[in-house]
Amino acid sequence: MLALYLPASAYCCGIACSTGIVVPCLLNGALIGRLFGLVVTDMAGGPPQDSASYWVDPGAFALLGAAGFFAGVSRLTVALTVIVTEISGDTAFILPVMVSVIVGKWVADWTGVHPIYHALMEKKALPYLGSHPHTEAPLQCFVAGQVMTKTVSVVGLKMPVPELARLLLEKKHHAFPATVPGPSGKGQQGQFIGLVLREHLVGLLKMPDMWTDTSAVMQGFPRPDPKRDADMVPPPGLNLSDDDVQSYKRLFHFYDADGSGAIDRDELKQVLEKIGEKPTDERVDALIAEVDDSGDGEIDFGEFCQVMVSSSGKGGGFASVVSSLSADALSEQELLAFDNPEALNNAGFESYLRNLCEAPSNSKYSVDLKPYVDLSAFSVSETMRFDHAYNLFRAMGLRHMVVVDTLNCVAGIITRHNLLEKNLH
């Protein structure tokens, strides 16, 4: 039975089914222990009649074998002793069970093989870090700078939109060190100030209203003054509340870049390019014609409001553009980007990033990252002892730890990949 059950249980332990390992381990250990007990009984010439030697029994060795085998597989000690004692119901076997468990654990540790759960995580390439890396190298003789990844992609506090989109396309990192310019001639990567997460960058690129126009032409456009803003009233009969009117005005100002009180062809084209489209003149003219009741080639605030409240499908093409940048859509996009970033890291989003990189009009836009930088991110000196850096990384449950030089300039970064046992050897 042992010759059949031991390899079968070992095979089933590695398949993608919840077959369990507790009962197979106890059974395999009990079979080995009972086999050993039968050998001892034969050597003793049969079961002894002396009450002081009642332990020379195949059943007792089966119990000790089950405890020792499971201890070697799982490295459990105290809990396993209690469990086996409760199963047997005989407190007289506490000491033999304890000895069997300790010997089983010591022998398994001496072989250098991981516990079963640790080994399965390693098999599935899960980045699990043990309390001590299983390496014979004296870790105290190494420093963080010898383990870190030296090629690091960093971001500044203000990034051009095409450059940021290109960075997310080329690099799949979960976080990026944020830096400011370092001392002259020193620290090519800049001085470290914090970390910014990838999902935050994704969310910012998906919300064009949070971009800043850095071109001199756009900065020179007159913004809507209070008088002009007061003249912007919705058409009678729409029954809009004051909150709706103010919300529509804020969205209308996003399109009306020059503050003229109307959206012309150039302004609509710029908005379409910001959301990733490559509009032709025919496409822009068609969108305006859907909404322009006055026929002046522009969209005024009254026509804009009619599109926002229309339930008859009027201005369907332009309405779809407006809905993609409405306040509700932006809020939903922010939640999607910040709380469920994996939904945006797909082929569609990569196509969106390529459009941001290729659209010439996006070169004048930048994103301010200061509000999104984690200024409390952990960093260590490149001369820090590696064993201390390892313990800090594991104890704090970090995913990234930036390594800096004496001038606090980014020298590298340590992730779980750097600390895995296979990468430390």
Side-chain angles (χ1 to χ4, degrees):
M1 183 177 180
L2 178 63
L4 177 64
Y5 198 81
L6 183 59
S9 59
Y11 173 79
C12 293
C13 182
I15 64 176
C17 281
S18 57
T19 55
I21 64 171
V22 176
V23 174
C25 286
L26 292 177
L27 180 56
N28 285 320
L31 291 174
I32 296 174
R34 184 170 183 84
L35 182 61
F36 180 78
L38 291 174
V39 173
V40 172
T41 302
D42 290 341
M43 293 177 59
Q49 302 300 321
D50 185 4
S51 60
S53 303
Y54 76 99
W55 57 269
V56 186
D57 180 78
F61 280 103
L63 179 67
L64 300 181
F69 190 92
F70 192 46
V73 171
S74 65
R75 305 298 203 277
L76 295 176
T77 53
V78 177
L80 182 58
T81 302
V82 174
I83 292 172
V84 173
T85 303
E86 289 181 349
I87 291 176
S88 65
D90 191 348
T91 57
F93 278 94
I94 290 182
L95 184 58
V97 168
M98 291 177 60
V99 173
S100 177
V101 167
I102 294 300
V103 171
K105 181 181 183 304
W106 282 351
V107 171
D109 288 340
W110 176 76
T111 62
V113 179
H114 291 305
I116 182 63
Y117 299 110
H118 188 169
L120 290 176
M121 286 191 291
E122 198 173 60
K123 185 69 174 177
K124 294 180 178 293
L126 298 178
Y128 172 77
L129 301 180
S131 57
H132 300 285
H134 288 251
T135 177
E136 298 179 357
L139 299 185
Q140 63 273 16
C141 297
F142 296 90
V143 295
Q146 296 174 296
V147 182
M148 67 182 183
T149 299
K150 297 182 179 180
T151 304
V152 185
S153 300
V154 301
V155 296
L157 294 183
K158 182 165 288 190
M159 293 284 291
V161 168
E163 183 178 339
L164 188 57
R166 190 173 298 107
L167 177 66
L168 294 182
L169 265 177
E170 297 175 353
K171 308 295 182 182
K172 304 302 181 182
H173 306 314
H174 177 73
F176 299 88
T179 62
V180 295
S184 178
K186 301 289 185 181
Q188 295 181 355
Q189 294 280 29
Q191 288 186 315
F192 174 72
I193 60 171
L195 277 176
V196 58
L197 299 181
R198 181 184 184 87
E199 52 260 37
H200 291 179
L201 300 179
V202 168
L204 291 172
L205 287 182
K206 295 289 286 186
M207 293 184 286
D209 68 326
M210 302 192 69
W211 302 352
T212 303
D213 193 337
T214 57
S215 65
V217 176
M218 291 297 290
Q219 289 178 355
F221 281 155
R223 301 310 302 164
D225 56 34
K227 183 179 182 304
R228 184 185 293 114
D229 195 68
D231 293 338
M232 296 171 56
V233 293
L238 293 183
N239 297 323
L240 296 177
S241 65
D242 293 339
D243 291 338
D244 290 336
V245 173
Q246 293 302 319
S247 176
Y248 293 162
K249 284 183 179 181
R250 285 194 296 269
L251 187 57
F252 184 81
H253 290 328
F254 175 70
Y255 289 84
D256 183 21
D258 60 0
S260 63
I263 304 171
D264 58 26
R265 297 177 69 260
D266 293 336
E267 291 169 337
L268 181 56
K269 188 173 183 179
Q270 288 181 7
V271 171
L272 292 173
E273 289 176 346
K274 287 180 66 173
I275 64 176
E277 290 193 27
K278 296 181 179 179
T280 61
D281 292 340
E282 291 77 11
R283 158 79 166 156
V284 176
D285 291 338
L287 290 176
I288 292 180
E290 290 180 357
V291 186
D292 183 20
D293 293 333
S294 61
D296 57 1
E298 295 181 336
I299 303 173
D300 59 31
F301 183 66
E303 295 165 340
F304 185 84
C305 290
Q306 288 180 346
V307 173
M308 296 296 293
V309 301
S310 175
S311 59
S312 61
K314 172 182 172 60
F318 182 77
S320 64
V321 176
V322 174
S323 63
S324 66
L325 290 172
S326 65
D328 292 339
L330 291 174
S331 299
E332 293 175 0
Q333 182 62 66
E334 181 178 5
L335 291 175
L336 178 63
F338 283 62
D339 297 337
N340 191 23
E342 61 275 5
L344 298 177
N345 294 326
N346 49 37
F349 181 66
E350 289 186 358
S351 176
Y352 173 77
L353 291 179
R354 292 190 184 93
N355 291 335
L356 293 182
C357 297
E358 297 171 0
S361 61
N362 288 332
S363 59
K364 60 188 176 185
Y365 294 107
S366 64
V367 179
D368 185 10
L369 301 181
K370 289 194 294 291
Y372 309 98
V373 175
D374 179 12
L375 301 178
S376 62
F378 281 86
S379 63
V380 297
S381 171
E382 59 184 345
T383 59
M384 183 179 190
R385 274 177 43 176
F386 173 67
D387 56 336
H388 292 173
Y390 182 94
N391 292 332
L392 174 65
F393 192 100
R394 185 178 182 275
M396 299 305 298
L398 302 180
R399 296 187 65 178
H400 315 86
M401 187 163 62
V402 179
V403 182
V404 297
D405 59 16
T406 55
L407 297 176
N408 200 43
C409 294
V410 176
I413 192 169
I414 293 177
T415 64
R416 288 179 176 264
H417 176 78
N418 300 101
L419 302 180
L420 293 178
E421 179 185 347
K422 62 180 181 181
N423 298 324
L424 289 178
H425 281 291

